[in-house]
Amino acid sequence: MTERKRFQASAYSIDDAVTQLPALAKWDGTLGDVDLFIVPRGFEPRACAFPSDLAERGTQIRGTILIGRYRTNTLDNDRRAVELTPLLDAISTRQHIECDADTPSDIQRAIGSVIEHFPAGHPCHVVVDVSAASSTFILSSLLALMAIDRPIRLTILYATAAVYHQPKQEDAGRPTMQWSENDQREQGVSDVGTNELQTGIHHDHLPGFAIAIPSMFASRLQRCLGHLSLAPHDIDEQEVFWILPDTDSNDHKWRFDAVMRTVLDILYSGADDAPDTLPSGSFANCGALNYSDCARLVLREIEHHSGTNMSVIHMGTKLQAIGVAFALAARPEVALVHARPSGFSAATYSDGVGEKYQLQFEELWQHVRRLTAIGTLKIAAC
C-alpha cells in the first residue's frame, strides 16, 4: 500500500500578499529604459522635481511622455508648465501626448494607446511620477495599468514638498471648517461620483459600508458620504471605518490632529458631549508614507465586511492612494467614490521640494495576482 504524503492546508492571507510588496526607497537617480513616463501638469513646485533631476543627470527617455492635464487651477498649472515643459523636452525628443487627468476613462485610454503598440512579450517599463498628482490621477493610472494583461515593470516616483501650508495659530486648534479663508487649501466641490474604472458590484438588498481615508478638509468627504446615503450625524461603527494618517514628525503632527478634529466635527457637529477621539474599533492609523499598510488595512476591512455594498473614499496621502489601488485591483466588487474640489489655493498649498522616493515593481501582475489570491488555499508538504 502506498504511503500517503502528509500535507498542510492553510488560507493565503492578507499578510502573505502584502509582505511581498516592495519597500519604499530613497530615489537612486536611475531609471533605465522607459517605455512610458506619466506625469501630471500640476501647480506645485514639486511637479518639476524629477524632470529637473533627470535633466540635470542627462537622462534620456526613449519612450512616450504622457502628461495629465487638470481642469482645476488651469492658470496656476500653466504658470508651472513654463518650467515643466522645457524639462520634459530636455529628457525626451519625442512629441508628448496628453490626457484629461480628471477623467479616469481618458487616462486608461491614453495609457492603453501606448502599451498596445509593444509586442506581447515585451515587458513594458512604465514610470509614474505622483509628486503633484491628484488621488484620481494616481488611482486611475494604477488601476488602468493593473488591468492590462501583459508584463509591466512599474516604477513610481514621489517627491515630498519642503514646506506644507500651516494655519495661523488661532486656527490651528479648531476644525478646518472654522478656519479663516486664507488658511483653506481647497474651495468648493464638483464631480461627486464613482470612479468609472472601479464601479464595484452592489446589490439593492445589501447594507452599505464605507472605508474612508479623509483629509483635514471636510466638504468633499461630506459630499461623498452623502453620495453613499450616509448621513454624517447618523453614522455608526457598522457603516464606516476610518483610516487616519500618522507620522513620527513633530513638524507634521498638527496636520494629523486636524484630520481627527475634522472627522469628529462631521460626526458630532461640535456638541458639548462630543468625544476627543473616535470609538475604539472604528478607526486605525496609517503612516503617511506607508502604502503597504494602507493596502493591508483596506483589505482587512473588506474581508471583515463581506456581504455589504462596499465603497472606498480616498482623500489621504499620495502614497496611501497607491495602497488603495492595489487593494481595489484585487477586489472589483468594491466601488471607489471620489469628489473633486472646484479649485485649490495654489499660492499657499506647498512650497519647495523635500525628499525624493521610488517604488519599483518588477512584475506588476504578480503582485496583483497575489492580492487576488487572498483567501484561497495553499498546500504545503509537512
Side-chain angles (χ1 to χ4, degrees):
M1 183 176 178
T2 304
E3 183 180 354
R4 292 185 178 178
K5 293 182 179 180
R6 297 172 61 85
F7 66 90
Q8 184 177 32
S10 60
Y12 191 72
S13 71
I14 292 172
D15 285 340
D16 288 333
V18 171
T19 53
Q20 298 295 313
L21 292 170
L24 185 69
K26 290 292 182 68
W27 164 238
D28 65 12
T30 60
L31 284 179
D33 290 338
V34 177
D35 296 305
L36 175 59
F37 187 93
I38 302 173
V39 59
R41 197 171 182 267
F43 58 77
E44 292 180 87
R46 56 179 166 165
C48 299
F50 285 102
S52 176
D53 190 300
L54 293 169
E56 289 176 7
R57 296 173 187 271
T59 301
Q60 280 294 299
I61 293 175
R62 297 176 184 175
T64 301
I65 293 183
L66 170 60
I67 303 170
R69 276 183 174 266
Y70 293 112
R71 282 178 268 137
T72 54
N73 293 81
T74 53
L75 293 178
D76 299 306
N77 298 336
D78 288 345
R79 281 190 282 269
R80 184 61 59 195
V82 172
E83 179 185 358
L84 177 63
T85 302
L87 292 171
L88 296 178
D89 290 339
I91 62 177
S92 173
T93 57
R94 297 184 60 175
Q95 185 174 1
H96 314 321
I97 64 172
E98 296 185 348
C99 67
D100 183 342
D102 296 310
T103 303
S105 61
D106 199 53
I107 297 168
Q108 184 182 50
R109 177 204 55 77
I111 290 173
S113 71
V114 176
I115 300 297
E116 68 183 7
H117 290 296
F118 291 95
H122 175 72
C124 291
H125 183 199
V126 180
V127 178
V128 184
D129 182 355
V130 302
S131 306
S134 65
S135 292
T136 293
F137 192 70
I138 296 170
L139 286 157
S140 300
S141 297
L142 296 184
L143 287 170
L145 289 167
M146 292 173 189
I148 295 174
D149 185 19
R150 63 172 300 151
I152 289 179
R153 177 183 164 216
L154 173 65
T155 299
I156 297 176
L157 304 177
Y158 172 63
T160 65
V163 178
Y164 296 90
H165 173 69
Q166 188 163 347
K168 296 187 293 295
Q169 189 63 39
E170 57 265 32
D171 282 342
R174 298 189 296 175
T176 54
M177 288 181 285
Q178 300 175 22
W179 285 6
S180 61
E181 185 176 346
N182 290 338
D183 283 330
Q184 300 292 338
R185 291 198 306 176
E186 54 185 61
Q187 306 91 32
V189 182
S190 63
D191 292 349
V192 182
T194 302
N195 186 304
E196 55 209 285
L197 305 187
Q198 189 76 28
T199 56
I201 304 169
H202 289 181
H203 303 280
D204 291 342
H205 67 283
L206 294 177
F209 184 81
I211 302 168
I213 309 171
S215 74
M216 69 180 78
F217 297 101
S219 297
R220 287 189 296 139
L221 176 59
Q222 289 176 308
R223 291 286 296 276
C224 286
L225 292 171
H227 178 78
L228 295 172
S229 300
L230 294 170
H233 308 315
D234 295 326
I235 290 173
D236 62 33
E237 298 172 40
Q238 304 304 314
E239 292 180 306
V240 180
F241 184 84
W242 306 91
I243 298 178
L244 305 181
D246 199 6
T247 181
D248 294 327
S249 170
N250 289 329
D251 292 338
H252 295 303
K253 190 175 184 302
W254 69 269
R255 299 172 66 203
F256 306 106
D257 292 341
V259 176
M260 174 66 85
R261 283 196 300 272
T262 294
V263 174
L264 292 174
D265 195 59
I266 288 173
L267 296 179
Y268 302 105
S269 296
D272 293 337
D273 58 349
D276 295 327
T277 187
L278 291 166
S280 176
S282 69
F283 76 100
N285 292 103
C286 176
L289 300 178
N290 198 337
Y291 85 101
S292 60
D293 193 42
C294 187
R296 181 183 62 81
L297 289 169
V298 172
L299 287 165
R300 185 194 71 184
E301 291 307 308
I302 293 172
E303 188 176 85
H304 287 177
H305 294 87
S306 60
T308 65
N309 288 329
M310 190 88 57
S311 300
V312 172
I313 303 169
H314 176 270
M315 293 170 184
T317 68
K318 300 179 192 303
L319 287 181
Q320 288 172 345
I322 296 169
V324 170
F326 274 97
L328 294 182
R331 294 292 180 263
E333 70 274 18
V334 181
L336 175 61
V337 177
H338 66 88
R340 182 166 58 91
S342 300
F344 294 93
S345 300
T348 57
Y349 198 85
S350 72
D351 198 16
V353 176
E355 297 288 343
K356 298 189 189 79
Y357 298 95
Q358 64 186 28
L359 276 168
Q360 293 184 307
F361 304 87
E362 293 300 325
E363 294 182 308
L364 182 60
W365 70 273
Q366 286 278 25
H367 293 289
V368 176
R369 183 184 63 81
R370 292 189 189 104
L371 292 164
T372 305
I374 291 170
T376 61
L377 286 179
K378 57 179 180 177
I379 309 296
C382 294

